[in-house]
Amino acid sequence: MQITRAKATALLNKGEMTLYNESRHNPIRGFTAAQLETRIKRARAARDRSRDLAKRQKLSSRASTGSKRGTSGSANQRSLDKAAILADILDRFEARLKEVKQAGREEARATAKKTSARKTAGSKKSARRSERREGRQAARQASKATPVAKKAVKKAAKKAAKNAAKKAAKKAAQKAVKKAASNTPRKSAAKKVTPRQALRSTRKLLEAKQEAARQPKPWEAPVAHGSQVGSDGFQSTEAARRAEELQAAESRMPAIHGSAGTRGRINQGKRDSKGGH
């Protein structure tokens, strides 16, 4: 049944209405466990009174209605509604009391944990204090001992210091070796070549060699020096001039200064005439 404030105001008296207001969401969160228990008692008593009234009205109306339940239309409905409202109020207070008790138990557990932790810390502190006291007593006894005992103590202390130094050096060396080993790059293991891979690579090399052999060589190209001759003729003016000189010499054309053959004959005649005298 949906309970509204208007309906509760029409059915409840002043004290019961106070319980209704206190059972709302915001006010009920501010009550302690003891306060909730007091309100639970009041709400339970009011609910029981309402239920007893509804039962009495039911019994008194059996004769007039002719039914076992004693209901006829809306007869006794107000008493039943009031009992339902008070039962709802009681349920709210009891649910809130459970939450408060659960929170209290959790808080008690947390407090117990803190207390045990403090006790443990205290016991540790006391143990440390006792160890310090024992160490001081041992130091005092050692200071009171004979010179021979003092020498033995010093010797043992020196030996312990040497052993500790050796252990520390050994650990440092091991760490250095590990660090160097971790920094050294590992050589990648050589991959094993299968016969099929070797045959495939050999075929590729052979095909590349055959393709290179099919290509024309640089000296077989039409233009060996990278420049194409525009038309038939001499490659340069110097070559053309030299060809003209050779053509003129072969054709015995008269020269301006005489031909080389004529000069040779004249010089030979002069030499001959000198030799005859």
Side-chain angles (χ1 to χ4, degrees), residues 13 29 77 81 86 141 153 187 215 261:
N13 57 28
R29 290 187 299 177
Q77 189 62 39
D81 292 344
L86 293 171
Q141 290 177 0
V153 170
K187 294 182 179 179
Q215 299 297 327

Side-chain angles (χ1 to χ4, degrees), residues 81-258:
D81 292 344
K82 183 176 180 179
I85 292 173
L86 293 171
D88 183 70
I89 293 171
L90 179 61
D91 292 340
R92 291 182 183 181
F93 282 127
E94 289 178 346
R96 179 58 185 170
L97 181 61
K98 289 181 180 179
E99 292 177 359
V100 172
K101 287 183 178 180
Q102 182 66 23
R105 285 194 292 268
E106 291 179 356
E107 187 176 357
R109 290 173 186 171
T111 305
K113 286 183 180 179
K114 290 182 181 178
T115 305
S116 61
R118 289 176 183 174
K119 289 181 180 179
T120 305
S123 62
K124 289 182 179 179
K125 288 182 180 179
S126 61
R128 291 174 185 173
R129 289 175 184 173
S130 62
E131 289 177 358
R132 291 175 184 173
R133 290 174 186 173
E134 292 176 358
R136 290 173 185 173
Q137 291 177 359
R140 289 173 185 175
Q141 290 177 0
S143 62
K144 294 179 181 179
T146 59
V148 177
K150 288 182 179 179
K151 288 181 180 178
V153 170
K154 288 182 179 179
K155 188 175 181 181
K158 288 181 180 179
K159 189 175 181 180
K162 288 181 180 179
N163 292 333
K166 288 180 180 179
K167 289 181 180 179
K170 188 175 181 180
K171 288 182 179 179
Q174 290 176 354
K175 287 183 179 179
V177 171
K178 289 181 179 178
K179 189 175 182 181
S182 62
N183 292 333
T184 303
R186 297 179 179 178
K187 294 182 179 179
S188 58
K191 294 183 179 179
K192 188 176 181 180
V193 181
T194 62
R196 184 176 295 178
Q197 293 176 349
L199 180 61
R200 190 183 299 114
S201 60
T202 304
R203 287 178 178 176
K204 288 182 179 179
L205 291 174
L206 182 59
E207 290 176 358
K209 187 174 181 181
Q210 291 175 354
E211 183 65 23
R214 293 191 193 98
Q215 299 297 327
K217 304 300 184 293
W219 58 84
E220 295 177 355
V223 182
H225 300 286
S227 60
Q228 186 175 0
V229 179
S231 60
D232 296 336
F234 300 99
Q235 294 183 355
S236 63
T237 56
E238 183 66 19
R241 185 182 62 78
R242 182 62 179 166
E244 290 177 357
E245 290 179 355
L246 291 174
Q247 179 65 23
E250 290 176 357
S251 61
R252 301 292 183 180
M253 291 178 63
I256 297 175
H257 302 288

